[in-house]
């Protein structure tokens, strides 16, 4: 068969075969196909090159043979662009212009066309409308085009819905919804598994990077090596310089898609305590994004906060809370929704607590007291445990350590007694006040071995006094923050087993909840709260009932140790609460936290004393009052459902 134009070039042979197999051209004879290809043209595009402009005339379709492109709506500058869809090999560019090809007249005088640019070097086949006309009568072609139209319409609606949801969540805080592909460093700096560590070090120096990606024989991501890895695993350990990359790399590192958003990457960095994220697609590395990259893009000073935490000593750790407070003020000023703002602040406070733990361990080792003799886990309770702490408050925490042989028990208990006392002092220097009720790990009631905790929980269950019920509610707000993960899993299993056996205790907790009903909001709000007619205690009338009900419903399902909205999500999955109630509770929680944070920061700024959860209703705007009324009504509904689950009406 004779081939013309681009088909004559040997390097294009694979592209020729690829096009011939495409549904638009399958079934054609060699002669027919050659004639069709003679009317088409091969086009090469560099990375980030515009393929179609908004005002470009559409004379046909572009079939992507190599590379990736994205369809977007341009804004007033390069940072105000909404990506509608990402097109890959086999997809077609200019699909919306088929309406013109089919003779459909536009309803609007001004047409707002989208634009298309390549994400990486790409090769496309231009298929003019004349070729489409010659193929349109084929049923297989019409079926293919219909399926393509339906799929693309679905994907675009999904993309638009995602953008709307992100806009609702993040408001005008644009960097939070930036894509990782706009921030990553590319191309990826790579080495092979068999490369010597000297070669790895040279590559890091030559490329001016802080990490390299390690590839296997199939050129797929196998691991990552950072500067810290080289120092710790090669130089400091005195290992031979003949070591190879696969021997010192971190295997199966966390990775992220180039289509992920800023806030997804930030969450991965903070939750997993890492600073490098390879960007990959189908196992092949595209680039690298670092914590520093994201924080520089955000320009919020968050990098300085994390550095302040990690570099602080027992003497200087008191400076950290002010730095976190500045970040909180900035996020609040930018209008970031309260729930997402507190998620980020909670991660920073967790780092602070973890750093205090490490400082205490280091000081014990320097003083000759040694490292912890057995594995332990550290848990936060109260507002910190619930992820609601926007400023350091009272210390609420406990410690669990591994069971030991009987003869070692007293020695281990003495170590952790001294350790927790020193840790409480360090946390106090960091800005956490001591708990007036002594609900801290330094108290014998809140520290102990796994067996001690089993006995303690059994005692609470057997004697369900009001005091034990209050202890139980505070305890069930626990959240794992640091320590041995295997021990944490054992402890969670222990708690679930205890709750399964303590149905009477849970019933008594429900009875206690019934005695403090959420106020009815059928009357003007000032007449509802009889303790102080012009004030609402957000903790007493909203947050405590909200958390207690979720804890009780969760306990019935064996769900413990979760953040509030994680409880809501899992209870919804278990069909304990409806999907509609799920959304209502999310909104109610956002409203109440938003008012509480705002009032708390104003109170702190004015140095006013007294409970930060009390809100003067007359100071709220009309819209805030309406939202608060609806939020408390939603929590009352949750309380009624919880009581009904225990047979209380």
């Amino acid at each position: 068969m004779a081939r013309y134009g681009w088909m004559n070039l040997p390097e294009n042979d694979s592209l020729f075969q690829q096009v011939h197999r495409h549904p638009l051209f399958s079934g054609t004879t060699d002669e027919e196909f050659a004639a069709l290809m003679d009317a088409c043209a091969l086009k090469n595009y560099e990375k980030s090159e515009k393929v179609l402009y908004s005002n470009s005339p559409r004379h046909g379709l572009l079939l992507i043979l190599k590379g990736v492109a994205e369809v977007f709506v341009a804004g007033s500058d390069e940072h105000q662009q909404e990506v509608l869809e990402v097109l890959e090999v086999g997809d077609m560019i200019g699909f919306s212009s088929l309406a013109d090809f089919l003779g459909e007249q536009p309803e609007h005088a001004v047409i707002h066309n989208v634009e298309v640019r390549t994400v990486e070097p790409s090769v496309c086949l231009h298929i003019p409308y004349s070729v489409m006309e010659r193929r349109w009568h084929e049923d297989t072609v019409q079926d293919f085009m219909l399926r393509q139209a339906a799929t693309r319409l679905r994907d675009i609606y999904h993309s638009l819905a995602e953008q709307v949801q992100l806009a609702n969540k993040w408001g005008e805080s644009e960097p939070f919804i930036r894509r990782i592909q706009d921030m990553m460093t590319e191309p990826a700096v790579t080495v092979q598994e068999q490369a010597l560590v000297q070669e790895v070090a040279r590559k890091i120096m030559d490329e001016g990077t802080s990490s390299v990606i390690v590839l296997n024989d199939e050129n797929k991501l196998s691991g990552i090596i950072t500067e810290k890895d080289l120092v710790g695993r090669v130089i400091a350990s005195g290992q031979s310089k003949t070591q190879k990359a696969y021997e010192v790399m971190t295997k199966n590192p966390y990775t992220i898609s180039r289509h992920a958003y800023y806030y997804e990457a930030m969450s991965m960095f903070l939750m997993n305590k890492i600073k490098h994220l390879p960007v990959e697609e189908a196992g092949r590395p595209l680039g690298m994004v670092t914590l520093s990259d994201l924080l520089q893009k955000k320009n919020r000073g968050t990098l300085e906060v994390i550095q302040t935490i990690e570099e602080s000593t027992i003497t200087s750790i008191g400076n950290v809370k002010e730095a976190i407070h500045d970040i909180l003020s900035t996020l609040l000023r930018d209008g970031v929704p309260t729930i997402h703002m507190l998620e980020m602040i909670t991660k920073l406070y967790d780092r602070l607590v973890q750093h205090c733990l490490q400082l205490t361990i280091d000081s014990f080792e320097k003083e000759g007291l040694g490292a912890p003799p057995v594995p332990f886990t550290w848990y936060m309770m109260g507002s910190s445990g619930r992820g609601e702490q926007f400023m350091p408050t009272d210390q609420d925490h406990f410690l669990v350590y591994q069971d030991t042989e009987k003869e070692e028990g007293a020695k281990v208990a003495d170590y952790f007694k001294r350790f927790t006392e020193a840790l409480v002092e360090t946390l106090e220097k960091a800005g956490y006040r001591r708990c007036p009720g002594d609900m801290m790990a330094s108290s014998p009631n809140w520290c102990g071995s796994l067996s001690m905790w089993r006995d303690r929980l059994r005692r609470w269950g057997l004697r369900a006094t009001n005091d034990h019920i209050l202890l139980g509610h505070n305890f069930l707000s626990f959240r794992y923050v640091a320590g041995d993960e295997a021990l944490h899993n054992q402890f969670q299993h222990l708690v679930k087993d205890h709750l399964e056996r303590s149905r009477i205790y849970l019933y008594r907790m429900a009875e206690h909840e019934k005695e403090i009903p959420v106020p009815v909001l059928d009357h003007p709000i000032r007449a509802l709260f009889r303790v102080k007619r012009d004030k609402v205690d957000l903790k007493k009338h909203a947050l405590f009932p909200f958390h207690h009900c979720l804890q009780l419903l969760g306990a019935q399902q064996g769900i413990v140790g979760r953040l509030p909205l994680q409880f809501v999500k899992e209870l919804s999955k278990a069909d304990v609460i409806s999907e509609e109630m799920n959304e209502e509770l999310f909104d109610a929680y956002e409203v109440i936290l938003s008012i509480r944070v705002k009032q708390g920061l104003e109170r702190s700024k004015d140095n006013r004393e007294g409970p930060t959860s009390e809100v003067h209703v007359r100071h709220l705007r009309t819209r805030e009052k309406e939202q608060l009324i609806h939020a408390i009504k939603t929590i009352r509904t949750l309380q009624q459902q919880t009581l009904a689950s225990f047979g209380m009406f």
Side-chain angles (χ1 to χ4, degrees), residues 327-345:
I327 295 297
L328 176 64
S329 299
T330 303
L331 294 173
L332 190 65
R333 186 172 60 250
D334 281 2
V336 175
T338 306
I339 287 175
H340 302 291
M341 176 175 63
L342 289 180
E343 285 177 358
M344 183 167 292
I345 296 300

Side-chain angles (χ1 to χ4, degrees), residues 32-186:
E32 289 171 337
F33 182 65
L36 293 171
M37 290 301 98
D38 195 38
C40 297
L42 205 64
K43 294 182 176 290
N44 292 276
Y45 298 94
E46 299 297 326
K47 178 188 171 184
S48 300
E49 184 176 347
K50 286 280 186 71
V51 177
L52 287 179
Y53 292 83
S54 61
N55 57 355
S56 298
R58 271 53 167 174
H59 299 302
L61 303 176
L62 286 168
L63 174 63
I64 301 178
L65 302 178
K66 283 185 180 179
V68 177
E70 58 185 11
V71 181
F72 65 96
V73 179
S76 58
D77 63 56
E78 64 175 351
H79 298 303
Q80 293 180 322
Q81 298 172 346
E82 296 294 342
V83 176
L84 297 181
E85 59 178 337
V86 176
L87 305 178
E88 300 179 329
V89 172
D91 290 331
M92 287 183 291
I93 299 171
F95 204 77
S96 61
S97 65
L98 279 176
D100 299 329
F101 165 69
L102 295 172
E104 293 293 327
Q105 296 300 315
E107 295 182 4
H108 306 285
V110 179
I111 302 298
H112 298 280
N113 285 327
V114 296
E115 298 190 276
V116 182
R117 67 179 165 219
T118 55
V119 175
E120 56 188 50
S122 302
V123 178
C124 300
L125 179 70
H126 179 255
I127 307 171
Y129 288 147
S130 59
V131 171
M132 292 300 303
E133 288 174 353
R134 292 160 67 179
R135 294 292 297 153
W136 193 253
H137 67 281
E138 297 289 342
D139 291 341
T140 54
V141 172
Q142 291 189 21
D143 180 66
F144 168 75
M145 298 300 285
L146 178 61
R147 290 179 181 277
Q148 283 286 299
T151 302
R152 297 278 286 278
L153 185 62
R154 179 196 63 194
D155 292 346
I156 290 173
Y157 268 114
H158 173 78
S159 177
L160 288 172
E162 185 180 35
Q163 292 294 330
V164 170
Q165 289 175 343
L166 286 169
N168 289 335
K169 282 184 179 182
W170 297 101
E172 298 302 317
S173 193
E174 177 271 338
F176 272 102
I177 57 175
R178 294 278 300 280
R179 298 275 190 178
I180 291 305
Q181 66 186 24
D182 298 326
M183 304 179 186
M184 68 183 185
T185 300
E186 55 181 331

Side-chain angles (χ1 to χ4, degrees), residues 462-498:
L462 291 174
R463 297 186 64 237
T465 62
N466 285 345
D467 286 344
H468 283 176
I469 288 170
L470 292 174
L471 289 175
H473 275 309
N474 198 45
F475 169 77
L476 286 175
S477 69
F478 75 85
R479 183 170 59 86
Y480 169 67
V481 171
D484 186 83
E485 193 167 348
L487 179 60
H488 165 61
N489 291 334
Q490 293 179 54
F491 181 70
Q492 275 211 127
H493 181 75
L494 182 155
V495 174
K496 291 179 184 179
D497 183 63
H498 163 72

Side-chain angles (χ1 to χ4, degrees), residues 534-602:
D534 65 336
K535 294 179 182 178
V536 178
D537 189 324
L538 293 179
K539 275 192 173 181
K540 180 179 178 182
H541 295 122
L543 289 175
F544 282 168
F546 175 73
H547 297 310
H548 295 169
C549 290
L550 293 178
Q551 289 168 1
L552 287 168
L553 291 173
Q556 288 181 321
Q557 302 295 319
I559 303 169
V560 296
R562 305 291 195 274
L563 289 166
L565 292 180
Q566 291 173 339
F567 269 117
V568 172
K569 185 176 181 180
E570 293 195 36
L571 289 170
S572 179
K573 282 185 178 179
D575 292 326
V576 175
I577 61 175
S578 66
E579 186 61 36
E580 181 182 1
M581 188 61 170
N582 181 344
E583 295 176 4
E584 291 279 335
L585 289 172
F586 183 97
D587 292 340
Y589 192 47
E590 169 72 34
V591 166
I592 292 167
L593 284 182
S594 178
I595 294 173
R596 187 179 176 219
V597 170
K598 179 181 175 183
Q599 298 281 332
L601 288 176
E602 289 177 357

